[in-house]
Amino acid sequence: MSVLVLAVGAMLRSTAASLTTAFLFLLVVPMLLGSGDESGPARKVSDSLPSSAGRYFMAGEGPYPQAVGLVILVAWTAAALCGGVVVLRRRDA
């Protein structure tokens, strides 16, 4: 999670914006999406967010196995790092 937030900070280049975005994306959005129907599309989106995937990876229980939770978390982190690298290269080039 810390590498994911580092990548968000690299993309936004603002402490307040990075903390607000990380808080909303890791805590608020999964709670809002996951509070609905158990089998609805919003729940499926919530289950694929990094905070839910990390929780399922650490707890070992959820809609998918631990390995899938780890892969989802790594994919989100890699995508955020790629975005951070692209933004930093464009701004600081």
Side-chain angles (χ1 to χ4, degrees):
M1 290 291 180
S2 60
V3 177
L4 181 69
V5 175
L6 172 78
V8 170
M11 284 188 276
L12 297 179
R13 307 252 324 234
S14 166
T15 304
S18 299
L19 289 174
T20 302
T21 302
F23 175 75
L24 290 174
F25 188 65
L26 294 175
L27 295 176
V28 176
V29 172
M31 285 191 300
L32 291 176
L33 291 176
S35 64
D37 185 22
E38 288 291 323
S39 62
R43 174 64 100 171
K44 292 181 195 256
V45 171
S46 174
D47 288 341
S48 64
L49 291 175
S51 60
S52 299
R55 185 176 63 246
Y56 296 144
F57 168 65
M58 295 300 288
E61 55 189 38
Y64 41 77
Q66 283 181 309
V68 175
L70 179 62
V71 168
I72 292 171
L73 188 58
V74 167
W76 274 102
T77 303
L81 281 173
C82 288
V85 167
V86 167
V87 169
L88 278 177
R89 285 191 178 168
R90 283 191 180 166
R91 284 190 191 150
D92 296 340

